[in-house]
DNA sequence: TAGTTTTTGCAACTGGGTTGCAACACCTAT
DNA sequence: ATAGGTGTTGCAACCCAGTTGCAAAAACTA
């Protein structure tokens, strides 16, 4: 029997291992973003810290997940929903952090607005993080 | 003789010390944002790392400088130009990071644009970081 | 100038993240 | 199904940013 996560791994030329399956499952089961520490807790001592770091790194490189900039200088990861490929991410969407439940959401459908920059500044990439109260709070 | 930096320190009920004067001077002399490491380099072994950390922390608390979220998860600091006070910052402006010279600017005059969020999401604060090529490059 | 308060420097510690390497698991071809 | 080669894991050791407690030193106050 071949599961969804197995397929995602194979599609990306990654060998199917316990850690990769479990970590990928966490992302597909969860609609918010996850920090390294979340994963460490949810896998419960099953895998070495280093393995988790390396797995996340691999997933980012393959375009399976992307990192999210945070205000408090921690790193968050979330599933790429667009057609991201190795080395090229299409994840320029708005992120929302809930002040109450502290969950971070990818708002893939929200278009990032245009801003008028002063003369001489040429924009390329725009990161928008909105914080407030989420739909579940 | 009383300098500008001395006045800023006194106005904020801070005792005037060498480290505070020197670090504050760096901010007033520089129009881009500074990282802890920048300050460490520019002061040249003159002050302990811990002193620099504590000074920056104090300045942030007093509303003299503010922190800037970065993509690569480092912390940047820049002078508050608005009327920020102890505990309350008015620094919701757009930040610009130059891909070429790597300087980060506070674009105090650029209004942060409105975005349309999905139903149920109530926005409070919005952080916008634009990257591209700056006016000096 | 002396006494009080605040700040500094040092040393020790924490926590996130990385690296090298040997043991192990996964994939492929027979 | 099995053996061999390749990729992945776990461990130990390390690095670096940032924090903490405390005694010495500097700044303020009277
Ligand atoms: Mn996202
Ligand atoms: Mn700013
Ligand atoms: Zn919430
Ligand atoms: Zn530039």
């Amino acid at each position: 029997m071949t599961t969804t996560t197995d397929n995602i791994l194979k599609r990306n030329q990654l060998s199917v291992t316990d850690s990769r399956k479990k970590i990928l499952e966490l992302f597909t089961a969860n609609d918010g973003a996850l920090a390294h520490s979340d994963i460490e807790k949810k896998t419960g001592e099953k895998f070495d810290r280093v393995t988790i770091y390396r797995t996340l790194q691999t997933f980012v490189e393959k375009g399976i997940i992307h990192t999210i900039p945070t205000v408090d200088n921690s790193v968050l990861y979330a599933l790429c929903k667009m057609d991201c490929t190795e080395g090229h991410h299409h994840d320029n969407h708005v992120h929302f952090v809930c002040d109450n439940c502290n969950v971070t959401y990818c708002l893939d459908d929200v278009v990032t607005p245009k801003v008028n920059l002063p003369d001489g500044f040429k924009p390329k990439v725009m990161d928008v993080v909105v914080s407030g109260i989420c739909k579940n709070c």
Side-chain angles (χ1 to χ4, degrees), chain A residues 34-43 52-53 56 75 77:
Chain A
L34 297 173
H36 174 98
S37 62
D38 296 326
I39 294 165
E40 217 166 359
K41 275 169 211 139
K42 284 174 200 255
T43 52
I52 299 177
Y53 280 117
L56 291 171
V75 190
Y77 302 89

Side-chain angles (χ1 to χ4, degrees), chain A residues 87-128:
Chain A
H88 190 65
H89 281 275
H90 307 250
D91 47 16
N92 237 74
H93 48 263
V94 172
H95 290 105
F96 188 95
V97 187
C98 181
D99 294 331
N100 186 245
C101 65
N102 220 37
V103 170
T104 296
Y105 300 86
C106 294
L107 304 181
D108 300 88
D109 303 326
V110 176
V111 286
T112 62
K114 278 269 163 289
V115 292
N116 284 331
L117 300 177
D119 280 356
F121 287 92
K122 292 186 186 59
K124 259 213 184 111
V125 179
M126 183 167 155
D127 267 302
V128 180

Side-chain angles (χ1 to χ4, degrees), chain A residues 18-60:
Chain A
D18 283 358
S19 50
R20 285 176 180 168
K21 273 197 288 191
K22 187 80 213 327
I23 293 173
L24 191 46
E25 265 167 39
L26 287 180
F27 279 106
T28 53
N30 217 305
D31 66 332
L34 297 173
H36 174 98
S37 62
D38 296 326
I39 294 165
E40 217 166 359
K41 275 169 211 139
K42 284 174 200 255
T43 52
E45 309 276 322
K46 204 168 177 320
F47 308 109
D48 194 84
R49 303 185 306 128
V50 180
T51 302
I52 299 177
Y53 280 117
R54 291 200 267 228
T55 303
L56 291 171
Q57 208 172 290
T58 305
F59 285 179
V60 170

